[in-house]
Amino acid sequence: ALVLKKMGDINLLHLKKFEDAAKSFIDAMEIRRRHETEESFEDDVYANQILHLVLQAAKSFTLSNDNESALMYYNEHIDLLDKYFPDEEDLLADSLLELGNVLSAKASDDEAIEKLSDCLDIKLNLHGHDSADVSDVRYSLAKCHAKCGQNDRAAQLFGEALRCYEAEGNYQGVCNVYVAIGQMKSSDMNSPDRSAALESYESALKARRQIAIAHDGESALLLYEYSTLLCQEGNFDAASTHIEEALKIQKRLSGLKDPLVAKILLTKARINAKQVPPKHEIALVCLEQVLFIQGSFQEDCTSLDVGLCHSLMGDVYLGQGENKKAIDSFNESIKIYLSIDSEDSVVCAAVYNDLGMAYGRAKEFDKAIESLIQALRIRKMKLGNESLEYGQSVYSLALIHVDMEKFNQALNCLNEAVRVFEQYDDEESDQLIQAIELKGDCSFEVGDFAASAASFQGCIEALIPADDDSGKSYDRERVARLNCKLGHSYSKIDEYEQAFDSYSQSVKDYVKSSGADDLKVADVMYDIGILLVEQDKDALVSKALVCFGEVVRIYKEKGRRIHAKVADSLVQKSKILIEQSDHDEASPLLEDALEVYRELLGNDSTEVGQVMMLRGKLHDECDNQDDAYRDFKEALRIFQKCLGEDDVHVSLALFNLGTIDARKKEHAKAIEQCKEALKIRVKRGDQDRDVADSAFNIATIYDDWGDSDQAFQYYSQCLKFYRELAGDMDTSVGNCYYKLGSIHWARGDVELSMSNFLDALRIFEQEDDTDGDVLITLFGGLARCYFRKEQFSVAMEWFLKHIRVLKIHRGEDCLEMAEPCFSVGLIYEKMDKFEEALNFMSKALMLFEKFHGKGSKDCQGCELQIAKVLLALEKYDESLAKFKCYLSQYHKDQSEETADVADAFHRMGQALQGLDKCDEARMFLKKALRASMKIHGNSSLQVAQVLVDLGNIMAKSGSSDEAIAVYDQSIAIFQKHPEDHDVDILASTYVSLAVLLDEKDDFEASLHSWKNALKLYSELVGSGSDEVAEILFKIGILYNHLQNYDRATSCFSESVRIVRNNGDDDEMVANALCHIAKNYARKRQFARGLEMSMEALRLKKQFCSAPEIASCLVDCGDILDGWGKPDQALRFLDEALRIYREQEDESHVTDVANCKRTLGCVYRQLGDSKTALDLLVGALAQHRAQGDDTLEVAGDLFEIGQVYDSFGDREKGLKCFEECLKIREEKLGSDHLDVMAAHKSIRKLQRHKDNSL
């Protein structure tokens, strides 16, 4: 019994094996009590021994969480004390304390309070109010009262305990009390304010940090609970700091696979998911770790909220736009909660709500509504229709209806949500404002603009302090957005002044919050411009132009030139300018708008059609009928495709086409199109003015056709309509008078004709015609200006206009045509449209030769530029001929070399390189280099670019050392011009240099070059580009060479991520996964390594050749062998060897030998030494064919030596080890681990040999 008692003490106090301790104590008691009688307890020694054993057994069961057994022994201990030691009140109180704690753990709180109250009475009687023993009892009793919801009594007891602990400097006790108070305050449903709980946890943490062992499990638990509470309060920064500390402590104490670590990770995930901006990647990693930890437990960990984990994963995926994954996660969360709770739980309702929003994001609206109604039903049933949660579900349902464009249903939901949120205005005012704003949006959509204005005004008043001059801050950006919406609403009900005031206030707030050049300022400026245009007042038009100009300027300064708002503003400016007959200003704006719309919306969008109509109108006003007809025709096609045959835009396009057909004298076609346009107008019930315009066009066509009777009839009707609609001085009335006067003249009715002409003249007196010469000068001058400013797209349009007006006024083959043709060719060359460039430049060369003669200076410049274009088109022979022609003509006139000559030498070198004439190419590039150095200086960019091409030639011809030196020289020059150099050329130079350094095994230098290339390509094409992925793969290989496996793995992983983000897997992904697998194996993370290797094998089978597949099978075998699973490794290695043997390619002999060696080692481990020896000897023979002193040969000899040793043939084994040692010492040096291994094996065999002697 004494021995068992000692064993129990050791297990209890030192080994912490509490179940074993309890068993020892019970066995000791059974021995002691084997001959027990009533008189036995009269022996004090015996009685104390039994009493001690009962108490120790109770403590052991308590610590092993066997509360039932603990209760039984504590009750027995108390009974023994009452019966045999009635005077041991202190010992009785201690046992009552422990009994109360066990009852509390069993949730038998009423019994616990009874026992602890008895204990407190005894302790107070024995020790007084300020004893530490009394404080411990008060603390335990307070916790029981708190669990029963008796918070006042609990607070009193906690306060008394805290006062004593603080007086004694008992920081552990102080910490425990504050934690318990914090738990009580945070769980108090009657007090939603958690500030008291936070203060308690903060005080607990301060006390905990005073303890010498502050980094233990209790500290981790405290930090976890504190972080969770901070997270609930939205203080994510503080929560993040404390949760990281908790995680660090608990992982150090218990490792990763620990329930508390999982809970901490769950809270960390929640913090990162809720932060602004959210850190989704970090959150997702944490949640995946939680699931991994949960899966590692042999039994389900009931304390871990796996349902919450999946729910949070759903939130993260939703934030990342991964709607399908979010839906799956929410469904998994619901499945888990349903397995442990009823379908109608409030927790399930919250997940149903989130699931509904996820379905909404995925546009699965029926499922979204079904899930939200389920959430709504549960919350209404469990919490009531006055609860905040009920209001939030109604609001979520409104959001789905908005997404479905069912705005009336959304308004019904929003009215209910607003009703609920108004009851929580003090604590949920922001949610109320959001609901009212959305209500305004929906009212706007259904056309109730007065209601929308009222909603937006209400939001603004709620956000701005009552006294705006009080200095109190408010969310200016949000108010600015609301004022903008308010302006929209006012403009719809023609309250222009109020709309302008709202827009103006929006601009002021955006300027104060984000700066004058913020895009949001530009958006409101656009709305102001539209508002000014809608008022149709000449005095406001110039202000509208300024507004639209500001929109374009701001967007361009922000690098957002390709944006619908830019195009819209350009169109609005163009409309105003065309109305003002400022066609020259309007035209480039339209071209820019067209370019933006096409890039954003495609060639067949309605917006493109509208710009084509506007451009057609401009061409028409400039008498460019063909261009106008083409634009109108294209617009008609687009409108019919997008809008249908009876749309008003179709009518307008037909109207314009008919007008141009009439000018071309294709009258029948013109009448047909215009009558179709009029038919659409009448069918639609359009206004009389529109009908009158269509009728007027028909009248004009009949007039031109010579059918004066029909024309007169239509003109007379139009005159009546126009005078009634627009007044006597409208230009349309003038057109009718003019036309009617012409018909009267044709009929010989002079008086009526003159009267009509005079009336028309009175209206058109202010109209001016523009002279053709002026247009030629203006268009040509503007084109040259834009070209000089390098605004080439705008210059192109002006040059093309210049060419068109020259054709009209001077003819197609005039000398003046040469310059714009040559300039258009240059622009096309800069746009990489080389065929178009060649056409225009050839036209220019023909004109220069015609008027100036061959060999003239203009011809030389044109010849040189054509040679460059031919080079770009890879027409190397033609390009060389042109360059030679240029140089021949140049050297006839002068001998001194110029920049053009140097450029010609350079381009000739490139052309010769394209023809694989490396020696000639090197000769011309060296000429270019000498000329460039002379003209531009040794450190010029021109010199650097020639050096790059020269290095490429050297590398191609095998002069790698020279190439490296030349690349280094070019890079040094590029770095002297950081603002001016071509990033693409520099990046490709780094790549070329890195490849050469790789070949020379200069891995450090190669790594430096690859890193520089990586940085440049990341800036040039983006960090998620395929180019960056390829470079990361190369860097990973280098890090492997340098044995920096962690960095290598990081590079390979990032490369895989990029490629997969950009599309499908490929061979590079497979190779990267192979490297990752090997690196995991090196770190003995065999499971992860095997997973990667199997994924690589799958991809290798899809993308790679048989030897590559075999290599991957060998990798799998190596990993399994290293993992201690040789039988599984054998399957992969046998398959690999079979594949290798099926190949007849001699290039894989080494791979076959390596496979045999690995397979031999595995067979040796499995005890099949004969097979192992056969394979290893075969590997040795193949390796020796590559040389007798290679490390592969040494490896084979080492393994063969071990096999001979296992046979007992130590002579042969010793011979193999000695030859292995010799090779390894020569190759690796004496300090290498492989050399030491060979020495060790030799010494072992020599000892056996000596012993046998």
Side-chain angles (χ1 to χ4, degrees):
L2 181 61
V3 171
L4 286 167
K5 173 189 172 297
K6 291 292 185 180
M7 288 173 62
D9 289 337
I10 292 169
N11 280 315
L12 174 65
L13 300 174
H14 302 290
L15 300 180
K16 309 300 181 184
K17 296 181 178 180
F18 305 118
E19 293 179 359
D20 293 343
K23 185 177 184 304
S24 296
F25 291 133
I26 292 170
D27 290 343
M29 272 192 287
E30 288 178 357
I31 295 172
R32 293 284 188 188
R33 286 180 159 177
R34 193 168 294 164
H35 304 291
E36 182 180 296
T37 62
E38 281 293 324
E39 290 77 24
S40 299
F41 282 91
E42 293 176 4
D43 181 356
D44 289 343
V45 174
Y46 175 85
N48 281 320
Q49 287 173 341
I50 296 298
L51 201 64
H52 177 75
L53 288 170
V54 171
L55 181 60
Q56 292 298 87
K59 289 180 179 179
S60 300
F61 282 122
T62 301
L63 292 171
S64 65
N65 295 319
D66 186 352
N67 293 324
E68 292 294 339
S69 299
L71 284 175
M72 181 178 71
Y73 281 96
Y74 277 125
N75 280 319
E76 183 179 355
H77 186 256
I78 291 169
D79 291 340
L80 289 172
L81 287 171
D82 285 338
K83 189 172 183 179
Y84 299 109
F85 300 90
D87 295 329
E88 293 289 344
E89 290 187 329
D90 207 0
L91 196 58
L92 175 63
D94 290 339
S95 206
L96 286 168
L97 174 60
E98 295 300 331
L99 181 60
N101 288 334
V102 173
L103 288 166
S104 177
K106 282 189 65 188
S108 302
D109 295 303
D110 291 335
E111 291 181 61
I113 290 172
E114 178 186 349
K115 300 299 181 183
L116 291 169
S117 297
D118 292 342
C119 174
L120 182 62
D121 291 338
I122 296 170
K123 291 286 187 179
L124 285 170
N125 186 50
L126 291 174
H127 305 293
H129 285 271
D130 297 328
S131 165
D133 290 341
V134 173
S135 300
D136 292 340
V137 181
R138 284 170 173 157
Y139 166 73
S140 296
L141 185 57
K143 288 208 298 182
C144 289
H145 281 295
K147 286 174 65 179
C148 293
Q150 301 166 7
N151 290 350
D152 291 339
R153 177 58 177 156
Q156 178 188 354
L157 290 166
F158 279 135
E160 292 170 356
L162 183 62
R163 178 178 55 79
C164 293
Y165 285 141
E166 288 178 336
E168 295 171 0
N170 183 349
Y171 294 112
Q172 179 65 60
V174 171
C175 176
N176 291 342
V177 172
Y178 274 126
V179 168
I181 293 172
Q183 292 170 340
M184 180 179 72
K185 295 290 185 183
S186 63
S187 62
D188 186 359
M189 301 304 294
N190 296 321
S191 177
D193 183 10
R194 302 285 187 267
S195 58
L198 289 171
E199 290 175 3
S200 296
Y201 273 105
E202 183 66 27
S203 298
L205 190 58
K206 289 179 181 178
R208 188 69 194 165
R209 297 197 191 282
Q210 298 295 321
I211 302 172
I213 52 169
H215 289 83
D216 59 0
E218 290 185 27
S219 296
L221 183 61
L222 168 58
L223 288 161
Y224 159 71
E225 292 178 356
Y226 187 24
S227 301
T228 303
L229 192 59
L230 286 166
C231 181
Q232 292 170 357
E233 289 300 294
N235 189 350
F236 299 111
D237 290 337
S240 180
T241 301
H242 293 308
I243 205 68
E244 287 292 347
E245 185 180 356
L247 183 61
K248 181 179 179 182
I249 293 171
Q250 191 63 22
K251 283 177 72 175
R252 179 177 56 81
L253 291 173
S254 305
L256 179 65
K257 297 178 181 179
D258 175 71
L260 182 55
V261 169
K263 291 181 182 179
I264 293 170
L265 285 166
L266 195 58
T267 298
K268 181 180 176 181
R270 184 180 179 188
I271 292 167
N272 282 284
K274 300 296 183 183
Q275 281 182 314
V276 180
K279 299 176 180 177
H280 291 133
E281 294 294 336
I282 297 175
L284 196 57
V285 170
C286 292
L287 293 169
E288 288 172 348
Q289 287 182 312
V290 171
L291 294 178
F292 170 76
I293 294 170
Q294 191 268 341
S296 69
F297 298 138
Q298 293 182 352
E299 298 180 357
D300 287 342
C301 182
T302 56
S303 64
L304 184 58
D305 194 344
V306 182
L308 175 60
C309 180
H310 284 287
S311 177
L312 282 173
M313 287 186 90
D315 289 336
V316 172
Y317 283 131
L318 204 60
Q320 292 179 321
E322 299 264 5
N323 300 325
K324 178 66 171 61
K325 291 183 178 179
I327 290 168
D328 292 341
S329 295
F330 287 135
N331 277 319
E332 183 64 22
S333 177
I334 290 171
K335 179 181 176 183
I336 292 169
Y337 282 134
L338 290 178
S339 69
I340 58 177
D341 206 342
S342 70
E343 182 180 358
D344 295 335
S345 72
V346 175
V347 176
C348 280
V351 185
Y352 276 124
N353 200 86
D354 292 336
L355 177 60
M357 299 309 295
Y359 276 127
R361 290 271 189 90
K363 306 301 180 186
E364 295 183 41
F365 295 118
D366 290 340
K367 291 182 178 179
I369 291 174
E370 180 184 348
S371 296
L372 287 170
I373 288 177
Q374 180 76 332
L376 197 61
R377 180 188 64 78
I378 296 170
R379 285 176 165 176
K380 185 176 181 179
M381 178 177 65
K382 294 288 186 178
L383 305 174
N385 63 356
E386 306 294 327
S387 67
L388 181 61
E389 292 81 359
Y390 166 82
Q392 288 167 342
S393 286
V394 177
Y395 180 73
S396 298
L397 191 58
L399 292 174
I400 298 300
H401 284 309
V402 169
D403 288 341
M404 297 173 70
E405 298 184 356
K406 295 182 177 180
F407 300 107
N408 285 315
Q409 291 93 321
L411 279 170
N412 293 334
C413 293
L414 288 167
N415 286 328
E416 177 68 359
V418 168
R419 179 191 69 78
V420 175
F421 292 156
E422 283 175 341
Q423 300 178 49
Y424 301 88
D425 189 20
D426 293 338
E427 56 196 81
E428 295 293 335
S429 60
D430 188 68
Q431 197 161 26
L432 173 61
I433 294 169
Q434 287 180 16
I436 295 173
E437 181 180 356
L438 187 58
K439 183 179 173 183
D441 293 334
C442 293
S443 297
F444 188 94
E445 291 294 337
V446 299
D448 191 351
F449 303 114
S452 69
S455 295
F456 297 138
Q457 186 63 49
C459 292
I460 293 168
E461 291 171 358
L463 288 168
I464 298 179
D467 182 7
D468 193 18
D469 297 327
S470 63
K472 295 181 179 178
S473 62
Y474 61 91
D475 189 346
R476 290 189 179 275
E477 186 164 321
R478 190 175 183 185
V479 171
R481 187 184 72 246
L482 287 163
N483 264 313
C484 184
K485 292 183 177 182
L486 183 59
H488 291 332
S489 298
Y490 280 137
S491 68
K492 291 292 184 180
I493 53 178
D494 297 332
E495 295 288 348
Y496 292 115
E497 289 186 6
Q498 290 173 292
F500 187 83
D501 290 341
S502 297
Y503 284 141
S504 299
Q505 187 59 47
S506 177
V507 170
K508 290 177 183 178
D509 280 329
Y510 275 137
V511 169
K512 288 182 180 179
S513 65
S514 306
D517 292 334
D518 189 81
L519 293 178
K520 294 181 284 295
V521 174
D523 292 341
V524 183
M525 292 294 287
Y526 178 83
D527 294 330
I528 294 173
I530 295 294
L531 183 70
L532 295 170
V533 170
E534 287 175 350
Q535 294 180 61
D536 198 22
K537 295 180 180 178
D538 292 339
L540 300 177
V541 169
S542 60
K543 294 181 179 179
L545 281 172
V546 172
C547 290
F548 294 131
E550 271 297 286
V551 175
V552 175
R553 181 191 66 79
I554 292 171
Y555 267 87
K556 285 185 176 180
E557 284 191 0
K558 293 294 184 181
R560 301 288 297 278
R561 185 181 70 83
I562 305 299
H563 194 279
K565 194 67 73 176
V566 173
D568 294 344
S569 300
L570 291 168
V571 168
Q572 294 299 330
K573 284 189 71 175
S574 301
K575 287 180 179 178
I576 295 171
L577 292 167
I578 291 172
E579 288 295 322
Q580 296 175 342
S581 297
D582 196 346
H583 302 129
D584 296 337
E585 289 290 333
S587 179
L589 299 179
L590 283 176
E591 297 304 325
D592 287 348
L594 196 58
E595 179 187 355
V596 173
Y597 279 140
R598 281 174 170 164
E599 188 165 339
L600 282 175
L601 307 173
N603 292 332
D604 291 342
S605 66
T606 304
E607 289 79 1
V608 171
Q610 290 169 340
V611 177
M612 296 297 287
M613 284 287 289
L614 202 55
R615 193 173 76 172
K617 179 182 178 183
L618 185 148
H619 284 313
D620 199 20
E621 291 183 6
C622 295
D623 295 328
N624 298 326
Q625 291 187 13
D626 292 340
D627 294 334
Y629 195 92
R630 184 175 62 251
D631 287 343
F632 291 140
K633 193 74 175 177
E634 178 64 9
L636 175 64
R637 183 191 67 79
I638 292 171
F639 292 147
Q640 288 174 331
K641 180 178 180 180
C642 296
L643 304 174
E645 297 288 342
D646 294 332
D647 189 81
V648 65
H649 293 87
V650 174
S651 175
L652 288 170
L654 287 166
F655 176 95
N656 290 323
L657 287 168
T659 302
I660 295 176
D661 280 330
R663 292 194 195 122
K664 294 179 177 179
K665 307 304 178 183
E666 297 178 5
H667 300 104
K669 186 177 178 182
I671 289 292
E672 180 186 355
Q673 298 202 91
C674 288
K675 283 189 174 181
E676 182 64 26
L678 181 59
K679 179 182 177 181
I680 293 171
R681 290 287 193 182
V682 173
K683 185 177 181 180
R684 288 173 50 84
D686 287 344
Q687 297 298 316
D688 287 343
R689 179 61 183 255
D690 299 323
V691 174
D693 288 339
S694 297
F696 181 85
N697 200 45
I698 294 171
T700 303
I701 297 168
Y702 275 124
D703 192 10
D704 291 341
W705 201 0
D707 191 343
S708 60
D709 293 338
Q710 288 286 343
F712 187 85
Q713 181 182 348
Y714 275 97
Y715 282 138
S716 298
Q717 292 176 356
C718 290
L719 178 61
K720 180 182 178 182
F721 286 143
Y722 283 137
R723 292 180 71 176
E724 290 175 355
L725 292 169
D728 291 342
M729 295 302 294
D730 190 74
T731 55
S732 57
V733 174
N735 285 328
C736 290
Y737 280 132
Y738 167 72
K739 293 296 184 181
L740 287 169
S742 298
I743 292 174
H744 284 302
W745 174 262
R747 289 177 174 179
D749 193 341
V750 178
E751 289 297 327
L752 285 175
S753 175
M754 185 176 63
S755 175
N756 288 143
F757 283 147
L758 286 172
D759 288 337
L761 181 61
R762 177 171 51 87
I763 296 170
F764 288 120
E765 278 179 341
Q766 56 190 10
E767 292 294 320
D768 296 322
D769 293 326
T770 306
D771 185 77
D773 289 338
V774 174
L775 288 176
I776 291 170
T777 304
L778 180 60
F779 290 168
L782 284 170
R784 285 188 287 271
C785 289
Y786 279 114
F787 188 87
R788 181 63 61 86
K789 292 176 68 176
E790 297 185 359
Q791 297 183 19
F792 298 117
S793 59
V794 182
M796 170 76 82
E797 297 302 325
W798 287 108
F799 275 128
L800 292 175
K801 285 183 180 181
H802 190 196
I803 291 169
R804 284 193 291 271
V805 77
L806 280 168
K807 287 180 181 179
I808 295 169
H809 294 282
R810 303 288 171 79
E812 189 167 343
D813 290 335
C814 63
L815 175 61
E816 295 95 324
M817 188 75 74
E819 181 193 349
C821 282
F822 182 70
S823 299
V824 169
L826 289 175
I827 294 172
Y828 274 128
E829 183 184 3
K830 292 178 183 296
M831 296 166 63
D832 293 339
K833 296 183 178 181
F834 300 113
E835 291 289 355
E836 293 89 340
L838 186 60
N839 291 334
F840 275 93
M841 289 179 181
S842 297
K843 172 76 172 178
L845 181 60
M846 183 270 293
L847 293 172
F848 283 136
E849 288 177 344
K850 178 179 178 181
F851 289 97
H852 293 162
K854 291 185 178 181
S856 65
K857 189 173 182 180
D858 288 329
C859 287
Q860 288 180 29
C862 206
E863 289 270 13
L864 178 61
Q865 212 59 40
I866 289 173
K868 294 178 183 178
V869 172
L870 289 167
L871 175 62
L873 289 168
E874 297 184 2
K875 297 180 179 181
Y876 300 123
D877 290 320
E878 295 178 52
S879 175
L880 280 171
K882 286 287 185 185
F883 280 126
K884 288 176 180 177
C885 181
Y886 165 76
L887 289 173
S888 174
Q889 191 62 47
Y890 177 85
H891 287 126
K892 284 181 182 179
D893 298 334
Q894 53 188 322
S895 59
E896 186 175 347
E897 292 181 343
T898 63
D900 284 340
V901 173
D903 191 25
F905 285 143
H906 186 186
R907 306 288 181 159
M908 288 181 76
Q910 291 175 331
L912 288 163
Q913 183 180 356
L915 293 170
D916 289 331
K917 297 181 179 181
C918 295
D919 292 338
E920 293 180 60
R922 183 185 290 207
M923 179 185 70
F924 276 100
L925 288 172
K926 287 185 176 179
K927 286 184 178 181
L929 186 61
R930 286 193 297 270
S932 296
M933 287 180 172
K934 182 178 179 181
I935 296 164
H936 303 293
N938 293 350
S939 298
S940 65
L941 286 174
Q942 291 85 348
V943 169
Q945 289 166 352
V946 176
L947 285 169
V948 170
D949 284 321
L950 188 58
N952 292 340
I953 288 290
M954 291 172 173
K956 190 174 182 180
S957 59
S959 302
S960 57
D961 290 334
E962 290 182 86
I964 289 170
V966 169
Y967 286 143
D968 284 336
Q969 189 178 352
S970 67
I971 289 169
I973 295 173
F974 280 129
Q975 290 172 343
K976 292 179 180 179
H977 304 274
E979 301 298 326
D980 303 321
H981 68 250
D982 189 322
V983 177
D984 193 13
I985 294 176
L986 179 56
S988 63
T989 305
Y990 273 121
V991 169
S992 300
L993 178 58
V995 170
L996 291 178
L997 291 167
D998 276 346
E999 293 172 357
K1000 298 178 72 65
D1001 292 342
D1002 191 349
F1003 299 128
E1004 292 288 354
S1006 177
L1007 179 62
H1008 178 72
S1009 291
W1010 281 119
K1011 284 183 176 180
N1012 284 324
L1014 177 66
K1015 179 181 178 183
L1016 292 171
Y1017 275 121
S1018 296
E1019 296 171 358
L1020 186 65
V1021 293
S1023 58
S1025 64
D1026 288 336
E1027 291 87 346
V1028 168
E1030 290 176 12
I1031 294 174
L1032 284 166
F1033 178 79
K1034 298 289 188 182
I1035 292 174
I1037 291 173
L1038 283 173
Y1039 275 130
N1040 268 351
H1041 281 308
L1042 296 170
Q1043 298 184 6
N1044 192 337
Y1045 301 118
D1046 288 338
R1047 287 195 176 182
T1049 300
S1050 176
C1051 291
F1052 290 133
S1053 299
E1054 181 63 10
S1055 176
V1056 170
R1057 185 191 67 78
I1058 292 170
V1059 173
R1060 286 180 165 173
N1061 282 348
N1062 292 341
D1064 296 330
D1065 291 328
D1066 58 15
E1067 183 176 353
M1068 189 180 78
V1069 172
N1071 291 329
L1073 290 171
C1074 282
H1075 288 295
I1076 294 171
K1078 291 176 184 177
N1079 288 343
Y1080 276 126
R1082 289 185 176 105
K1083 297 170 67 177
R1084 305 194 67 76
Q1085 296 179 14
F1086 297 113
R1088 187 68 173 139
L1090 184 60
E1091 178 187 349
M1092 292 289 115
S1093 195
M1094 292 300 292
E1095 174 67 5
L1097 181 59
R1098 181 184 68 80
L1099 296 178
K1100 291 267 187 179
K1101 289 179 178 179
Q1102 184 176 353
F1103 297 109
C1104 301
S1105 63
E1108 287 289 317
I1109 296 170
S1111 175
C1112 195
L1113 287 165
V1114 171
D1115 291 342
C1116 294
D1118 284 339
I1119 292 170
L1120 286 164
D1121 185 27
W1123 199 358
K1125 298 182 179 183
D1127 51 341
Q1128 296 181 36
L1130 194 61
R1131 178 168 58 87
F1132 287 95
L1133 293 169
D1134 279 338
E1135 176 66 12
L1137 187 58
R1138 181 190 64 77
I1139 292 173
Y1140 277 133
R1141 284 172 170 167
E1142 289 176 356
Q1143 306 302 308
E1144 297 180 357
D1145 191 351
E1146 294 291 332
S1147 62
H1148 297 288
V1149 171
T1150 302
D1151 294 329
V1152 174
N1154 291 337
C1155 182
K1156 286 181 177 179
R1157 182 170 66 194
T1158 305
L1159 196 54
C1161 293
V1162 172
Y1163 272 113
R1164 183 171 60 80
Q1165 291 182 55
L1166 294 170
D1168 190 349
S1169 299
K1170 183 179 183 305
T1171 303
L1173 184 60
D1174 290 341
L1175 287 164
L1176 290 169
V1177 169
L1180 178 61
Q1182 288 180 298
H1183 278 140
R1184 283 194 187 278
Q1186 311 297 319
D1188 287 330
D1189 59 347
T1190 64
L1191 288 174
E1192 286 77 10
V1193 169
D1196 295 338
L1197 288 166
F1198 186 83
E1199 297 297 337
I1200 292 171
Q1202 289 186 311
V1203 174
Y1204 279 132
D1205 184 21
S1206 67
F1207 284 160
D1209 193 342
R1210 297 188 178 91
E1211 287 294 336
K1212 289 184 179 179
L1214 187 59
K1215 184 178 179 181
C1216 289
F1217 287 133
E1218 286 173 345
E1219 186 178 353
C1220 167
L1221 176 61
K1222 180 181 177 183
I1223 296 170
R1224 286 181 173 176
E1225 283 184 333
E1226 288 178 359
K1227 298 290 185 180
L1228 304 174
S1230 58
D1231 295 333
H1232 196 276
L1233 290 175
D1234 288 346
V1235 175
M1236 295 179 185
H1239 271 299
K1240 182 178 179 182
S1241 297
I1242 290 170
R1243 285 196 298 271
K1244 175 186 171 186
L1245 289 183
Q1246 286 177 337
R1247 279 198 304 272
H1248 283 297
K1249 184 177 179 181
D1250 293 341
N1251 290 336
S1252 65
L1253 291 174

